[in-house]
Amino acid sequence: MMGYAAGILPEAFDLVIASKLSMCDSSRADLASYEALGGAVLNETQGEAMAPDAFSKCLDCIDKSKVTPIKPSPNRSGVLPSPLQNILGGDLEKVKWKPLGRGVKQAIISTSGKASARLLYIPAGQAVPDHGHQGTELTLVIQGAFHDEVDRFGPGDLEVANEDLEHQPIAEEGEACICLAATDAPLRFNEFIPRLLQPLFKI
Ligand code: ZN
């Protein structure tokens, strides 16, 4: 959340955090305090003499980068949080699912930078293959719920996994679980078949 406030996360992680902020009032309050903290740190910092054209050069750089910050918005109709709907141009009907087997589906969301984002659809009661991580994985529950070795995660909950965690998320009975996941390194699958298919599915 601090990384998001400071604007230093890859776009795929920004998308997950902005989606969580869109779903969760208390997270937006947390963000406001991190932004205030960042402002206070800047205020306390010793001033530095700048070249006369520094401001216009800075604006030029922002123009050239063509990066539009992903902003949260609590207003939504439909299932997906607003930042996702803005990227897809609509709700679930715009998602182009690809089957991963056992009823599990994914849709890769196009983002810039080194991390990647995907929507996952896990049928009620279904497990995804157990795996470890070679970097950070953020998983935000949008609909339904899943549990793993760590905890239970319901709508608006975010699981942060890293190299230390091996887990097998299992969707709860009842409703299919839809998650938004972002990773900055490939997952490490323990079973042979998922490992074989991994390059194909870009996980
Ligand atoms: Zn994982």
Side-chain angles (χ1 to χ4, degrees):
M1 197 76 81
M2 271 180 134
Y4 177 84
I8 56 168
L9 299 182
E11 196 177 25
F13 286 5
D14 271 350
L15 175 61
V16 176
I17 301 297
S19 296
K20 172 161 178 66
L21 290 163
S22 303
M23 297 175 77
C24 180
D25 294 342
S26 66
S27 297
R28 284 198 298 285
D30 290 345
L31 177 71
S33 51
Y34 289 132
E35 287 175 336
L37 193 67
V41 169
L42 273 181
N43 267 340
E44 292 297 312
T45 307
Q46 195 85 46
E48 211 38 72
M50 304 286 282
D53 60 348
F55 185 62
S56 60
K57 273 188 178 164
C58 176
L59 290 182
D60 281 350
C61 282
I62 292 171
D63 279 346
K64 277 187 199 130
S65 74
K66 291 197 176 71
V67 172
T68 314
I70 302 176
K71 295 277 183 202
S73 162
N75 307 318
R76 66 166 168 160
S77 55
V79 175
L80 301 177
S82 305
L84 258 176
Q85 290 201 26
N86 293 341
I87 287 181
L88 294 168
D91 198 34
L92 280 179
E93 77 283 352
K94 293 281 183 186
V95 179
K96 294 190 172 72
W97 296 110
K98 298 252 168 65
L100 293 181
R102 299 178 195 167
V104 179
K105 298 184 280 186
Q106 76 160 353
I108 291 176
I109 310 292
S110 169
T111 50
S112 62
K114 283 191 176 154
S116 65
R118 71 200 63 236
L119 272 169
L120 287 168
Y121 176 99
I122 311 163
Q126 184 59 257
V128 297
D130 65 304
H131 61 270
H133 311 86
Q134 304 180 78
T136 302
E137 177 191 59
L138 304 180
T139 307
L140 173 71
V141 177
I142 294 171
Q143 174 194 286
F146 75 83
H147 65 267
D148 63 6
E149 289 78 350
V150 178
D151 211 337
R152 175 198 185 264
F153 300 88
D157 290 341
L158 177 72
E159 180 171 36
V160 182
N162 60 23
E163 290 89 343
D164 300 330
L165 180 70
E166 295 244 345
H167 67 163
Q168 181 169 37
I170 301 170
E172 276 186 7
E173 294 296 342
E175 195 175 23
C177 182
I178 297 176
C179 300
L180 174 64
T183 46
D184 58 5
L187 301 181
R188 218 178 38 237
F189 288 103
N190 299 321
E191 292 169 43
F192 177 66
I193 297 290
R195 224 162 43 224
L196 193 73
L197 297 173
Q198 189 166 15
L200 208 64
F201 295 146
K202 301 192 177 74
I203 290 183

